[in-house]
Each structure stands twice: as structure tokens, then as C-alpha cells.
Amino acid sequence: MQRIYIDNASTTAVSNEVVAEMLPVLSANFGNPNNLHSFGREALNLVDKARDRIAKSINADRGEIFFTSGGTEANNWAIIGLALANRNKGNHIITSQIEHHSVLEACKRLETMGFEVTYLPVDETGLVDIAELIHCVNQKTILVSIMAANNEIGTIQNLKTISKIAHERDIIFHTDAVQAVNSFKIDVLDIEVDAMSISAHKLHGPKGVGALYVKKGIKIDNLIVGGNQERGKRGGTLNVASIVGFGKALDVTARDYIVNNKRLRFLREYFLSKVMEEIPNVKINGHKFQSLPGLISISFIGVEGEALTTLLDLAGIAVSTGSACSAGSSHEQSHVLKALGLPQEYAQGTVRFSFGVNNTKAEIDIVVEELKKDVERLRELSPIRSKNK
């Protein structure tokens, strides 16, 4: 049976170029970069090279890049570390209702520590309400954290506008760019972002490694203590091989942005046109134009999303109902779709399709054919199931 992977928003396959760069590190360059001997210095040189690559790709200084275990740690560190370090200026934080759980849960943790958090609403396309942002800022606001692009619906936020609003009021601005950095170039100086989270496994790099960019002069408390690694800001022995892979992955991504985006948009639009032509009663979620090139969220009316993804999986097709990070609580309505105001009957039938550069037009034809068959089957069963409840 042919297997087709259309869940690249969850994770991506490690590219051959990245694997080739990592393999020598796994076998030969095994030193601890915190040691002063030659083995340690060799490992440190590899880490520094990766740090330079990552810094260059986002137009940052190498001293502003701190390695983490992934996007979740980077988000936790940014939210909690920035809040605690700047508590003398205020205790109010602003974020949105559709952030990744690693941001939302970090904010909830801060609420137990005496901080106040405002969760901004979004419109039906997933864009943050700018007027509401301005309205909610007060003299105690010290941090605004808004994601660059949503991982469930693909909507891209107006980062420069949000950054300007924050900085005009002397407020720190953080963005979770984990889902965005694979799809468009982010220049931290152009956007004027103060802190930014990124991760390797969304851009054909290894899992378990990410980074937090922190602008020089911005105060941030440590999240992980017990070591002097990362210039005393984050304890723990560095994952050298994965860091090397991360640097290569971001380097390749920056090199291939234009070609890859063009291909992903073609695949997305071709898939969408086929779905709209072949399958009735569907709704497209997210912003029509201001969205990630390879991601699309579709609600199939009268269908349960989990049942549909299961049938597709049995046919060898991998998609998801939303964020892989919340799969354990999948029976709950997505907080993102709820924030859009999507009715329950639409939300429960929502499936996310996220394409990668290795997907083909032929694969899409197979997916749409199977999708049409499974949707029809579930819609036929739906009245029977409702009657037996």
C-alpha cells in the first residue's frame, strides 16, 4: 500500500542534506562543547558554526541565539523568563486566544504567580483584533506575545503592526515563529521583534532542538538552571549533532524559500480546487490570502474529523485534525476553531492538510479520491449513528 504523508505541520522528514551533515558529528565529533580540550573545542566550533547560520538566516547576532530542546521550551522560556525578569515594570501580559499550548499554559502558570493575562480575540479568519490590542494595553503591560503563523489554520499575523504598537509603549514583543520560519523569511530587525521561538523539526531538521532569539539588552530570567551552558543562560549539555542539523536545515530553508513556496502554493491550490469540485458542503478555515503556503484547514459538514483521519490512515494517508501537541485531548474542540467562532458541527469535522516539498500532484489525486469516498461513507452513517445515541 502506498503511504502518503500530508501532515508536515506536525513534523517533517529530515532531509538528506541535514542527515549528511549530522552523521559525522554522531560518530566522530562526540566531544562536550563545554570542555576545554581538543574534543570539546571541536564540538564547540560546530555549535558556533550552527549558531552563526541560524543568526544569519533571521538577521540576528550570534550572541542573541540560545539553543533549547525545541519550540515548547523556547516558548516557555520566553514567556516566563521575560515576565519574571521585567516584573519590576509591571505584571500584565497580552497574548491571543489561538496561541500554541506552550504559550497559553506558560501564561496560566504566570497567573498563579500574580500576573494578569489578557487573551485577545481573533476574527473569523484568525487575525488578532488590533483595535482590541491597543485597548487592552495599560501601564502595567510588560509583554505582548503573538504567534507569527497559526499551526492549525495557517493564518499569518500582522507582526510589524503588532510590534510597532508594543514598542511605542515600551513593551517587549515576543513571537512564536515555529510554524512560520519554514514558509517565509523572518528578519528580526525589520519586524523589530525582541524575542522569537523557532524549532528544527518543522523545516526538515531533527526533533528535540530549537532556539530562542533574545535581542541584546532585553532582560530574561533563566528557565533551566544547573549549568553554565549557553553563556550562563540555559543549563544542560548541548545536543551537538542536532544543533548542527538545525543550522543546516535553516540554511537550506533560506536558500530554497522561493522555489519551495511556489511549489507548496501550487499543491495547496490544486488540492483545494479538487476538493471544492468533488466534495460538497465543505468550509475553508483561516485567511484566504494571508496564510502559510502549504497548510489548509477544511471542515467537512456532517463528518467527524477523527473518524475521517482514521479512515484515511487505513488507506495509507496521514493527515490530522489539528495540532499534534494536543492529540491526547482530541475529543475537546480545538481552542483555535472555537476562537474563530466556528460552530461545533463544523469544528468536529475539521481536518488539517499540510503539504511538503516532496508531495506530488499524483498523490493529491489519490488523496482527493479517497477523501471523497470516506466523506460520503461517513455522511451516510451519520443519521444512523445520531438515531442510536
Side-chain angles (χ1 to χ4, degrees):
M1 178 177 65
Q2 181 180 4
R3 301 176 73 202
I4 300 174
Y5 186 77
I6 308 184
D7 196 20
N8 288 274
S10 294
T11 195
T12 56
V14 181
S15 75
N16 291 334
E17 288 183 89
V18 170
V19 171
E21 192 123 346
M22 291 177 65
L23 284 176
V25 186
L26 289 168
S27 58
N29 304 111
F30 57 85
N32 186 328
N34 229 38
N35 288 139
L36 296 178
H37 51 58
S38 61
F39 291 88
R41 293 196 304 272
E42 288 171 2
L44 182 60
N45 285 337
L46 293 172
V47 169
D48 286 342
K49 180 181 177 181
R51 200 186 307 274
D52 285 339
R53 279 175 155 178
I54 292 168
K56 181 180 178 181
S57 72
I58 62 172
N59 198 19
D61 184 87
R62 63 183 295 183
E64 299 171 319
I65 304 297
F66 299 89
F67 290 112
T68 69
S69 63
T72 291
E73 183 194 327
N75 281 337
N76 271 259
W77 186 10
I79 301 300
I80 296 173
L82 290 169
L84 294 178
N86 295 277
R87 195 171 190 172
N88 62 314
K89 297 180 181 179
N91 69 338
H92 181 230
I93 297 163
I94 297 176
T95 188
S96 84
Q97 295 176 1
I98 65 169
E99 298 298 309
H100 189 270
H101 284 293
S102 58
V103 169
L104 297 176
E105 293 299 323
C107 286
K108 289 179 181 178
R109 173 73 62 85
L110 288 173
E111 286 181 294
T112 68
M113 301 166 66
F115 286 85
E116 298 177 1
V117 182
T118 297
Y119 300 91
L120 294 174
V122 295
D123 64 19
E124 67 279 2
T125 71
L127 287 176
V128 166
D129 188 329
I130 298 297
E132 187 67 16
L133 168 61
I134 296 172
H135 174 73
C136 290
V137 170
N138 60 50
Q139 292 182 339
K140 295 182 179 180
T141 307
I142 56 173
L143 174 64
V144 171
S145 178
I146 303 294
M147 67 191 338
N150 187 265
N151 54 303
E152 289 192 34
I153 59 174
T155 297
I156 299 171
Q157 299 295 337
N158 299 307
L159 293 185
K160 291 186 73 170
T161 300
I162 295 169
S163 175
K164 183 179 180 181
I165 291 168
H167 289 150
E168 284 177 347
R169 294 155 178 82
D170 196 28
I171 298 168
I172 296 169
F173 175 52
H174 163 259
T175 187
D176 169 6
V178 169
Q179 200 69 60
V181 74
N182 188 36
S183 298
F184 58 91
K185 186 170 178 59
I186 297 180
D187 184 324
V188 294
L189 296 183
D190 180 53
I191 298 172
E192 297 186 69
V193 63
D194 299 306
M196 184 171 77
S197 307
I198 54 178
S199 183
H201 78 106
K202 304 284 187 174
L203 41 93
H204 300 283
K207 297 170 184 61
V209 63
L212 180 65
Y213 157 80
V214 182
K215 183 180 178 181
K216 282 184 180 178
I218 298 295
K219 294 194 301 181
I220 185 168
D221 278 6
N222 290 14
L223 181 69
I224 296 179
V225 296
N228 291 317
Q229 292 87 352
E230 289 301 88
R231 304 180 298 286
K233 298 304 296 181
R234 192 252 186 197
T237 302
L238 293 176
N239 184 348
V240 179
S242 291
I243 287 171
V244 167
F246 186 12
K248 180 63 175 179
L250 202 44
D251 211 25
V252 172
T253 297
R255 181 193 71 196
D256 297 342
Y257 270 129
I258 296 175
V259 173
N260 287 347
N261 279 6
K262 184 177 180 180
R263 176 165 181 76
L264 290 175
R265 287 203 179 277
F266 166 77
L267 292 171
R268 182 183 185 274
E269 294 307 313
Y270 179 70
F271 172 75
L272 182 56
S273 66
K274 295 277 289 185
V275 168
M276 299 299 286
E277 179 183 338
E278 299 287 340
I279 306 173
N281 298 323
V282 299
K283 182 185 183 304
I284 312 303
N285 304 307
H287 201 283
K288 187 174 182 180
F289 305 108
Q290 204 165 307
S291 62
L292 296 175
L295 189 154
I296 186 164
S297 169
I298 305 178
S299 296
F300 297 90
I301 316 305
V303 171
E304 287 187 357
E306 289 181 14
L308 181 55
T309 58
T310 299
L311 288 178
L312 289 170
D313 184 47
L314 290 172
I317 300 167
V319 298
S320 68
T321 54
S323 171
C325 304
S326 57
S329 56
S330 57
H331 288 293
E332 297 180 14
Q333 180 180 348
S334 158
H335 70 287
V336 174
L337 300 180
K338 186 176 181 180
L340 297 185
L342 203 64
Q344 177 64 24
E345 61 269 25
Y346 285 71
Q348 70 180 8
T350 300
V351 176
R352 181 186 67 183
F353 303 86
S354 46
F355 302 98
V357 293
N358 294 322
N359 287 128
T360 65
K361 188 177 176 182
E363 286 180 331
I364 290 178
D365 290 335
I366 294 171
V367 171
V368 174
E369 183 180 350
E370 181 65 32
L371 188 60
K372 179 182 178 181
K373 182 178 68 177
D374 293 341
V375 168
E376 289 176 351
R377 179 182 175 189
L378 290 172
R379 283 174 175 167
E380 287 173 0
L381 291 172
S382 184
I384 298 174
R385 294 175 63 182
S386 298
K387 187 176 180 180
N388 291 336
K389 284 184 178 180

